[in-house]
Short mmCIF file of all heavy atoms in Angstrom, two decimals:
data_model
loop_
_atom_site.label_atom_id
_atom_site.label_comp_id
_atom_site.label_asym_id
_atom_site.label_seq_id
_atom_site.Cartn_x
_atom_site.Cartn_y
_atom_site.Cartn_z
N PRO Y 1 3.48 -9.78 6.93
CA PRO Y 1 2.07 -10.22 6.84
C PRO Y 1 0.98 -9.20 6.52
O PRO Y 1 -0.08 -9.58 6.17
CB PRO Y 1 1.87 -10.78 8.27
CG PRO Y 1 2.77 -10.00 9.14
CD PRO Y 1 3.98 -9.74 8.30
N PHE Y 2 1.30 -7.94 6.63
CA PHE Y 2 0.26 -6.91 6.34
C PHE Y 2 0.69 -6.07 5.25
O PHE Y 2 1.65 -5.26 5.30
CB PHE Y 2 0.02 -6.10 7.58
CG PHE Y 2 -0.63 -6.84 8.73
CD1 PHE Y 2 0.14 -7.41 9.75
CD2 PHE Y 2 -2.02 -7.06 8.76
CE1 PHE Y 2 -0.43 -8.09 10.73
CE2 PHE Y 2 -2.61 -7.79 9.76
CZ PHE Y 2 -1.83 -8.29 10.83
N HIS Y 3 -0.02 -6.15 4.10
CA HIS Y 3 0.25 -5.33 2.92
C HIS Y 3 -1.01 -4.54 2.55
O HIS Y 3 -2.11 -5.10 2.51
CB HIS Y 3 0.53 -6.27 1.72
CG HIS Y 3 1.65 -7.18 1.84
ND1 HIS Y 3 2.95 -6.84 1.53
CD2 HIS Y 3 1.72 -8.47 2.30
CE1 HIS Y 3 3.70 -7.88 1.81
NE2 HIS Y 3 3.04 -8.86 2.26
N PHE Y 4 -0.81 -3.24 2.28
CA PHE Y 4 -1.91 -2.36 1.92
C PHE Y 4 -1.61 -1.65 0.63
O PHE Y 4 -0.54 -1.15 0.43
CB PHE Y 4 -2.22 -1.35 3.04
CG PHE Y 4 -2.65 -2.02 4.30
CD1 PHE Y 4 -1.71 -2.36 5.23
CD2 PHE Y 4 -3.97 -2.21 4.59
CE1 PHE Y 4 -2.12 -3.00 6.46
CE2 PHE Y 4 -4.38 -2.87 5.72
CZ PHE Y 4 -3.46 -3.28 6.67
N VAL Y 5 -2.61 -1.63 -0.26
CA VAL Y 5 -2.44 -1.00 -1.56
C VAL Y 5 -3.58 0.01 -1.76
O VAL Y 5 -4.70 -0.24 -1.43
CB VAL Y 5 -2.48 -2.06 -2.69
CG1 VAL Y 5 -2.31 -1.41 -4.10
CG2 VAL Y 5 -1.50 -3.15 -2.48
N ALA Y 6 -3.18 1.19 -2.28
CA ALA Y 6 -4.16 2.26 -2.59
C ALA Y 6 -4.39 2.22 -4.10
O ALA Y 6 -3.45 2.19 -4.89
CB ALA Y 6 -3.64 3.57 -2.21
N PHE Y 7 -5.65 2.20 -4.49
CA PHE Y 7 -6.09 2.16 -5.86
C PHE Y 7 -6.94 3.34 -6.16
O PHE Y 7 -7.66 3.87 -5.25
CB PHE Y 7 -6.96 0.92 -6.20
CG PHE Y 7 -6.20 -0.36 -6.15
CD1 PHE Y 7 -6.26 -1.17 -5.05
CD2 PHE Y 7 -5.42 -0.76 -7.23
CE1 PHE Y 7 -5.55 -2.41 -4.98
CE2 PHE Y 7 -4.81 -1.96 -7.23
CZ PHE Y 7 -4.87 -2.76 -6.12
N ALA Y 8 -6.92 3.78 -7.41
CA ALA Y 8 -7.89 4.79 -7.89
C ALA Y 8 -8.69 4.14 -8.99
O ALA Y 8 -8.16 3.40 -9.81
CB ALA Y 8 -7.18 6.04 -8.44
N LYS Y 9 -9.97 4.42 -9.02
CA LYS Y 9 -10.86 3.91 -10.03
C LYS Y 9 -11.17 5.10 -11.01
O LYS Y 9 -11.67 6.10 -10.55
CB LYS Y 9 -12.11 3.36 -9.45
CG LYS Y 9 -13.04 2.71 -10.45
CD LYS Y 9 -14.19 2.07 -9.73
CE LYS Y 9 -15.12 1.34 -10.72
NZ LYS Y 9 -16.26 0.72 -10.04
N SER Y 10 -10.84 4.87 -12.28
CA SER Y 10 -11.13 5.96 -13.26
C SER Y 10 -12.55 5.88 -13.72
O SER Y 10 -13.29 4.89 -13.42
CB SER Y 10 -10.17 5.86 -14.39
OG SER Y 10 -10.38 4.65 -15.12
N LYS Y 11 -13.04 6.86 -14.46
CA LYS Y 11 -14.37 6.90 -14.96
C LYS Y 11 -14.74 5.68 -15.84
O LYS Y 11 -15.86 5.33 -15.90
CB LYS Y 11 -14.65 8.19 -15.73
CG LYS Y 11 -14.60 9.39 -14.77
CD LYS Y 11 -14.80 10.67 -15.47
CE LYS Y 11 -14.73 11.85 -14.44
NZ LYS Y 11 -14.80 13.06 -15.08
N ASP Y 12 -13.71 5.15 -16.53
CA ASP Y 12 -13.96 3.98 -17.40
C ASP Y 12 -14.00 2.65 -16.59
O ASP Y 12 -14.21 1.59 -17.19
CB ASP Y 12 -13.00 3.92 -18.56
CG ASP Y 12 -11.58 3.57 -18.13
OD1 ASP Y 12 -11.37 3.33 -16.94
OD2 ASP Y 12 -10.72 3.59 -19.03
N GLY Y 13 -13.79 2.76 -15.29
CA GLY Y 13 -13.85 1.56 -14.46
C GLY Y 13 -12.49 0.91 -14.24
O GLY Y 13 -12.44 -0.05 -13.41
N SER Y 14 -11.44 1.34 -14.90
CA SER Y 14 -10.14 0.72 -14.75
C SER Y 14 -9.53 1.14 -13.42
O SER Y 14 -9.81 2.22 -12.96
CB SER Y 14 -9.27 1.05 -15.90
OG SER Y 14 -9.01 2.42 -16.01
N LEU Y 15 -8.61 0.35 -12.87
CA LEU Y 15 -7.98 0.61 -11.62
C LEU Y 15 -6.52 0.95 -11.90
O LEU Y 15 -5.87 0.34 -12.67
CB LEU Y 15 -8.05 -0.61 -10.71
CG LEU Y 15 -9.40 -1.01 -10.21
CD1 LEU Y 15 -9.35 -2.28 -9.41
CD2 LEU Y 15 -10.10 0.09 -9.40
N SER Y 16 -6.02 1.93 -11.11
CA SER Y 16 -4.61 2.30 -11.17
C SER Y 16 -4.06 2.18 -9.73
O SER Y 16 -4.68 2.69 -8.73
CB SER Y 16 -4.45 3.72 -11.65
OG SER Y 16 -4.87 3.91 -12.91
N THR Y 17 -2.89 1.60 -9.57
CA THR Y 17 -2.28 1.50 -8.32
C THR Y 17 -1.61 2.85 -7.97
O THR Y 17 -0.86 3.39 -8.74
CB THR Y 17 -1.20 0.45 -8.33
OG1 THR Y 17 -1.74 -0.80 -8.66
CG2 THR Y 17 -0.51 0.24 -6.96
N LEU Y 18 -1.92 3.42 -6.80
CA LEU Y 18 -1.36 4.70 -6.39
C LEU Y 18 -0.33 4.62 -5.29
O LEU Y 18 0.51 5.47 -5.17
CB LEU Y 18 -2.49 5.61 -5.93
CG LEU Y 18 -3.53 6.05 -6.95
CD1 LEU Y 18 -4.53 7.04 -6.31
CD2 LEU Y 18 -2.87 6.69 -8.18
N GLY Y 19 -0.40 3.53 -4.46
CA GLY Y 19 0.57 3.43 -3.38
C GLY Y 19 0.58 2.13 -2.67
O GLY Y 19 -0.34 1.26 -2.89
N TYR Y 20 1.59 1.99 -1.81
CA TYR Y 20 1.76 0.71 -1.08
C TYR Y 20 2.43 0.99 0.22
O TYR Y 20 3.25 1.92 0.32
CB TYR Y 20 2.64 -0.25 -1.91
CG TYR Y 20 3.10 -1.42 -1.15
CD1 TYR Y 20 2.26 -2.46 -0.83
CD2 TYR Y 20 4.46 -1.53 -0.72
CE1 TYR Y 20 2.75 -3.59 -0.13
CE2 TYR Y 20 4.89 -2.62 -0.05
CZ TYR Y 20 4.03 -3.63 0.23
OH TYR Y 20 4.51 -4.71 0.95
N VAL Y 21 2.10 0.21 1.24
CA VAL Y 21 2.81 0.18 2.55
C VAL Y 21 2.63 -1.20 3.15
O VAL Y 21 1.61 -1.83 2.91
CB VAL Y 21 2.29 1.35 3.49
CG1 VAL Y 21 0.82 1.06 3.98
CG2 VAL Y 21 3.27 1.55 4.69
N HIS Y 22 3.65 -1.58 3.93
CA HIS Y 22 3.54 -2.89 4.60
C HIS Y 22 3.94 -2.70 6.07
O HIS Y 22 4.55 -1.73 6.46
CB HIS Y 22 4.45 -3.97 3.93
CG HIS Y 22 5.87 -3.70 4.05
ND1 HIS Y 22 6.60 -3.00 3.16
CD2 HIS Y 22 6.72 -4.11 5.06
CE1 HIS Y 22 7.84 -3.04 3.55
NE2 HIS Y 22 7.99 -3.64 4.71
N TYR Y 23 3.52 -3.70 6.86
CA TYR Y 23 3.81 -3.80 8.31
C TYR Y 23 4.29 -5.11 8.66
O TYR Y 23 3.71 -6.12 8.22
CB TYR Y 23 2.58 -3.47 9.11
CG TYR Y 23 2.02 -2.08 8.88
CD1 TYR Y 23 1.13 -1.86 7.80
CD2 TYR Y 23 2.35 -0.97 9.61
CE1 TYR Y 23 0.59 -0.63 7.57
CE2 TYR Y 23 1.87 0.30 9.35
CZ TYR Y 23 1.02 0.49 8.34
OH TYR Y 23 0.50 1.72 8.07
N TYR Y 24 5.29 -5.17 9.56
CA TYR Y 24 5.80 -6.37 10.16
C TYR Y 24 5.44 -6.32 11.61
O TYR Y 24 5.72 -5.31 12.33
CB TYR Y 24 7.32 -6.53 10.02
CG TYR Y 24 7.89 -7.64 10.71
CD1 TYR Y 24 7.76 -8.95 10.26
CD2 TYR Y 24 8.60 -7.45 11.91
CE1 TYR Y 24 8.27 -10.00 10.97
CE2 TYR Y 24 9.14 -8.49 12.57
CZ TYR Y 24 8.99 -9.79 12.11
OH TYR Y 24 9.51 -10.85 12.81
N ILE Y 25 4.75 -7.32 12.19
CA ILE Y 25 4.43 -7.32 13.58
C ILE Y 25 5.54 -7.98 14.32
O ILE Y 25 6.02 -9.06 14.09
CB ILE Y 25 3.11 -8.15 13.79
CG1 ILE Y 25 1.95 -7.59 13.00
CG2 ILE Y 25 2.76 -8.17 15.26
CD1 ILE Y 25 1.59 -6.13 13.26
N ASP Y 26 6.07 -7.24 15.32
CA ASP Y 26 7.15 -7.66 16.17
C ASP Y 26 6.66 -7.55 17.63
O ASP Y 26 6.76 -6.46 18.21
CB ASP Y 26 8.37 -6.76 15.95
CG ASP Y 26 9.62 -7.24 16.72
OD1 ASP Y 26 9.75 -8.43 16.96
OD2 ASP Y 26 10.47 -6.38 17.06
N GLY Y 27 6.19 -8.67 18.12
CA GLY Y 27 5.67 -8.68 19.47
C GLY Y 27 4.40 -7.81 19.56
O GLY Y 27 3.43 -8.02 18.89
N GLU Y 28 4.53 -6.71 20.35
CA GLU Y 28 3.40 -5.83 20.55
C GLU Y 28 3.46 -4.63 19.65
O GLU Y 28 2.69 -3.64 19.78
CB GLU Y 28 3.39 -5.23 21.97
CG GLU Y 28 3.39 -6.36 23.06
CD GLU Y 28 3.59 -5.70 24.46
OE1 GLU Y 28 4.63 -5.11 24.69
OE2 GLU Y 28 2.65 -5.83 25.28
N ASP Y 29 4.34 -4.64 18.68
CA ASP Y 29 4.58 -3.49 17.84
C ASP Y 29 4.43 -3.83 16.33
O ASP Y 29 4.68 -4.99 15.92
CB ASP Y 29 5.99 -2.94 18.06
CG ASP Y 29 6.23 -2.49 19.49
OD1 ASP Y 29 5.49 -1.55 19.89
OD2 ASP Y 29 7.03 -3.10 20.18
N ALA Y 30 4.01 -2.83 15.57
CA ALA Y 30 3.91 -2.94 14.13
C ALA Y 30 5.06 -2.04 13.54
O ALA Y 30 5.07 -0.81 13.85
CB ALA Y 30 2.59 -2.56 13.62
N LEU Y 31 5.91 -2.58 12.71
CA LEU Y 31 6.93 -1.83 12.02
C LEU Y 31 6.45 -1.46 10.66
O LEU Y 31 6.16 -2.35 9.84
CB LEU Y 31 8.26 -2.61 11.99
CG LEU Y 31 8.74 -3.17 13.30
CD1 LEU Y 31 10.04 -3.89 13.08
CD2 LEU Y 31 8.94 -2.06 14.36
N CYS Y 32 6.31 -0.20 10.40
CA CYS Y 32 5.77 0.31 9.15
C CYS Y 32 6.95 0.53 8.16
O CYS Y 32 7.96 1.17 8.54
CB CYS Y 32 5.03 1.61 9.33
SG CYS Y 32 4.42 2.46 7.88
N GLY Y 33 6.75 0.04 6.96
CA GLY Y 33 7.91 0.25 5.98
C GLY Y 33 7.37 0.22 4.56
O GLY Y 33 6.25 -0.14 4.22
N GLY Y 34 8.33 0.56 3.68
CA GLY Y 34 8.03 0.41 2.24
C GLY Y 34 6.99 1.34 1.69
O GLY Y 34 6.39 1.03 0.66
N LEU Y 35 6.70 2.46 2.32
CA LEU Y 35 5.72 3.36 1.84
C LEU Y 35 6.23 3.96 0.52
O LEU Y 35 7.25 4.57 0.43
CB LEU Y 35 5.47 4.53 2.86
CG LEU Y 35 4.48 5.59 2.41
CD1 LEU Y 35 3.02 5.01 2.23
CD2 LEU Y 35 4.43 6.67 3.43
N VAL Y 36 5.38 3.77 -0.53
CA VAL Y 36 5.77 4.24 -1.80
C VAL Y 36 4.51 4.67 -2.63
O VAL Y 36 3.44 4.04 -2.47
CB VAL Y 36 6.54 3.15 -2.64
CG1 VAL Y 36 5.76 1.94 -2.86
CG2 VAL Y 36 7.08 3.69 -3.95
N ILE Y 37 4.64 5.78 -3.27
CA ILE Y 37 3.52 6.34 -4.08
C ILE Y 37 3.94 6.26 -5.52
O ILE Y 37 5.06 6.62 -5.94
CB ILE Y 37 3.22 7.79 -3.69
CG1 ILE Y 37 3.00 7.88 -2.14
CG2 ILE Y 37 2.09 8.37 -4.46
CD1 ILE Y 37 1.86 6.98 -1.61
N ASP Y 38 2.94 5.94 -6.43
CA ASP Y 38 3.20 5.93 -7.82
C ASP Y 38 2.75 7.24 -8.44
O ASP Y 38 1.57 7.42 -8.75
CB ASP Y 38 2.51 4.76 -8.53
CG ASP Y 38 2.94 4.53 -9.93
OD1 ASP Y 38 3.35 5.52 -10.60
OD2 ASP Y 38 2.92 3.37 -10.42
N ASN Y 39 3.67 8.22 -8.49
CA ASN Y 39 3.33 9.55 -8.95
C ASN Y 39 2.86 9.57 -10.44
O ASN Y 39 2.09 10.39 -10.84
CB ASN Y 39 4.53 10.51 -8.81
CG ASN Y 39 4.81 10.75 -7.35
OD1 ASN Y 39 3.90 10.83 -6.54
ND2 ASN Y 39 6.09 10.85 -6.95
N ARG Y 40 3.35 8.59 -11.20
CA ARG Y 40 3.00 8.51 -12.62
C ARG Y 40 1.47 8.22 -12.71
O ARG Y 40 0.76 8.90 -13.52
CB ARG Y 40 3.76 7.42 -13.35
CG ARG Y 40 5.26 7.73 -13.43
CD ARG Y 40 6.03 6.59 -14.05
NE ARG Y 40 5.69 5.34 -13.27
CZ ARG Y 40 6.16 4.15 -13.60
NH1 ARG Y 40 6.85 3.93 -14.68
NH2 ARG Y 40 5.82 3.10 -12.88
N ASN Y 41 0.97 7.25 -11.98
CA ASN Y 41 -0.44 6.96 -11.99
C ASN Y 41 -1.30 8.09 -11.37
O ASN Y 41 -2.41 8.34 -11.81
CB ASN Y 41 -0.74 5.64 -11.30
CG ASN Y 41 -0.36 4.45 -12.20
OD1 ASN Y 41 -0.21 4.58 -13.39
ND2 ASN Y 41 -0.22 3.26 -11.58
#
């Protein structure tokens, strides 16, 4: 249910995706996973 994306805005106004992470809520806990960075961007 929880997805987070990091973007960079260039000088021309275009957006590039730089990274992603998600969380699954399990009771009182959030499980963090899928952290990935787009080194090319």
Side-chain angles (χ1 to χ4, degrees):
F2 293 96
H3 302 272
F4 296 89
V5 181
F7 291 100
K9 186 175 182 180
S10 65
K11 291 179 183 176
D12 69 4
S14 63
L15 296 177
S16 297
T17 304
L18 295 183
Y20 168 75
V21 68
H22 69 268
Y23 298 87
Y24 173 76
I25 304 299
D26 184 30
E28 303 173 300
D29 298 297
L31 307 180
C32 176
L35 178 63
V36 61
I37 305 304
D38 193 329
N39 292 324
R40 296 174 305 175
N41 284 342

